[in-house]
Amino acid sequence: MTGMLASYLILAAVLFCLGLYGALSKSNAVIVLLSVELMLNAVNLNLIAFAKYGVGPSLTGQIFSLFTMAVAAAEVAVGIAILIALYRRKGTVDVTEMDEMKH
């Protein structure tokens, strides 16, 4: 049972690192948004793994994971709406050119 938990944690760490790499290194806003989603899914995997194989198995982690998915869906909806508005205004999805809020 501990081996299964370690496998899930390693997979979640790999997913989180891939998402972090994508969020920090890519300039395409859509890729950055997808990378953030990948990191959120890694967190969900951790929550479910600890809920199933942790010290006190319960449904709390799975319920928390559902809550996180709902928040992630709302975040994607708002993020895509902002990206569409910025694309219509500037004609690009490059995050280095999205600096209007700085000034």
Side-chain angles (χ1 to χ4, degrees):
M1 187 172 291
T2 305
M4 289 297 293
L5 179 61
S7 299
Y8 283 117
L9 295 180
I10 289 170
L11 178 63
V14 169
L15 286 176
F16 190 86
C17 289
L18 285 173
L20 186 64
Y21 172 75
L24 293 179
S25 66
K26 300 300 178 187
S27 62
N28 189 332
V30 176
I31 300 296
V32 171
L33 194 61
L34 288 175
S35 298
V36 170
E37 290 300 315
L38 194 60
M39 288 191 288
L40 284 173
N41 283 329
V43 170
N44 285 337
L45 187 60
N46 272 341
L47 287 172
I48 292 172
F50 279 117
K52 176 128 177 105
Y53 299 110
V55 176
S58 66
L59 289 177
T60 306
Q62 295 170 0
I63 293 169
F64 235 174
S65 179
L66 286 174
F67 178 73
T68 306
M69 282 191 257
V71 171
E75 177 250 335
V76 166
V78 171
I80 292 291
I82 291 171
L83 285 178
I84 289 172
L86 285 172
Y87 181 76
R88 285 182 180 165
R89 185 178 177 129
K90 292 204 162 212
T92 183
V93 290
D94 191 4
V95 292
T96 59
E97 296 184 19
M98 296 179 186
D99 57 354
E100 288 183 354
M101 297 291 285
K102 287 184 178 177
H103 307 288

